[in-house]
Amino acid sequence: YDQPGEVPVVFPQDRKLTIVSEDGPFETELVGTLSASGSIVVMHAPNPGDTLTIIGFTIRDNVVDNPGCDFCGGGITVGDLTVAKILNCIVRDNTALGTSGQSAGGILFKGSGGIIANNWISANDGLLDPTAVGGIIVTPSANVAIVNNTIAHNTGPDGTATAGVHIEDATSIDMFDNNIVAFNAPGSGLSATSVLPGSESTINNLYFGNDAV
């Protein structure tokens, strides 16, 4: 996705699908554009419970500059009803700029379940939109495990709460375990609002160098 005229990776909306890179994230890149209308990778399944999986890509250098793009991720967007697995990827240097609604520079997870595991999520920006997050935002009704990731050097808008990871209203988190959350600023490394009591497990995480936790 680094040639003029090519389209982002949009998962088919009629089946379960796994996309795996042959040579891993250091050799296989999906590269965005400086004035994109949406995410590099869009994971959206119309049937509840359909699982879409992406493994082993670098997803980088995308700037979403679209005021009409509600709930956008600069790198990856997981849509409603979708069970998504994002594994062994590098999501870096993506930006959500001027979007409306909630957005994230790196990953916006609006799905119904899944896992974000063994990824490097770094140097993503959530700019201008005061509800944006730099690294990952998990929106209502998602039920996701976030495990074994490095989430570092992401940037939130000035004056907002979160640069690293934000868990939004009434979201059920299966687990937030074994992550490194570091040097995310301005804003905190991890924040949550109205999380369902007892729904989250947050253990064995390392936080350092953030504005706050």
Side-chain angles (χ1 to χ4, degrees):
Y1 179 49
D2 59 358
Q3 298 299 318
E6 291 192 4
V7 298
V9 177
V10 179
F11 278 69
Q13 296 189 22
D14 59 351
R15 58 186 169 182
K16 300 178 182 180
L17 184 66
T18 296
I19 296 178
V20 184
S21 69
E22 183 174 355
D23 297 319
F26 295 107
E27 300 294 334
T28 312
E29 296 188 329
L30 304 174
V31 182
T33 177
L34 295 180
S35 185
S37 59
S39 308
I40 296 177
V41 176
V42 178
M43 306 174 78
H44 181 79
N47 302 311
D50 280 359
T51 300
L52 305 178
T53 303
I54 186 165
I55 303 172
F57 290 86
T58 289
I59 299 161
R60 67 173 177 87
D61 292 312
N62 196 50
V63 178
V64 178
D65 188 8
N66 179 5
C69 188
D70 281 338
F71 296 100
C72 279
I76 300 174
T77 296
V78 179
D80 291 329
L81 306 177
T82 303
V83 176
K85 297 179 180 180
I86 302 167
L87 308 173
N88 304 325
C89 290
I90 298 170
V91 182
R92 67 170 180 86
D93 296 293
N94 300 292
T95 301
L97 174 66
T99 59
S100 59
Q102 293 165 317
S103 58
I107 300 171
L108 182 134
F109 202 105
K110 198 185 176 187
S112 61
I115 185 168
I116 300 170
N118 304 318
N119 303 286
W120 182 281
I121 301 162
S122 179
N124 300 287
D125 294 333
L127 300 175
L128 296 187
D129 183 349
T131 64
V133 173
I136 304 170
I137 186 168
V138 181
T139 68
S141 301
N143 186 17
V144 61
I146 302 175
V147 183
N148 297 332
N149 302 283
T150 296
I151 304 163
H153 295 285
N154 299 287
T155 304
D158 290 339
T160 60
T162 311
V165 182
H166 182 64
I167 311 303
E168 192 46 72
D169 300 333
T171 297
S172 177
I173 294 296
D174 276 348
M175 62 181 66
F176 188 87
D177 293 351
N178 300 316
N179 299 288
I180 297 172
V181 183
F183 300 112
N184 298 286
S188 63
L190 172 67
S191 65
T193 57
S194 302
V195 177
L196 296 176
S199 63
E200 71 279 13
S201 167
T202 57
I203 60 174
N204 299 327
N205 299 292
L206 177 62
Y207 305 93
F208 62 95
N210 306 289
D211 272 2
V213 174

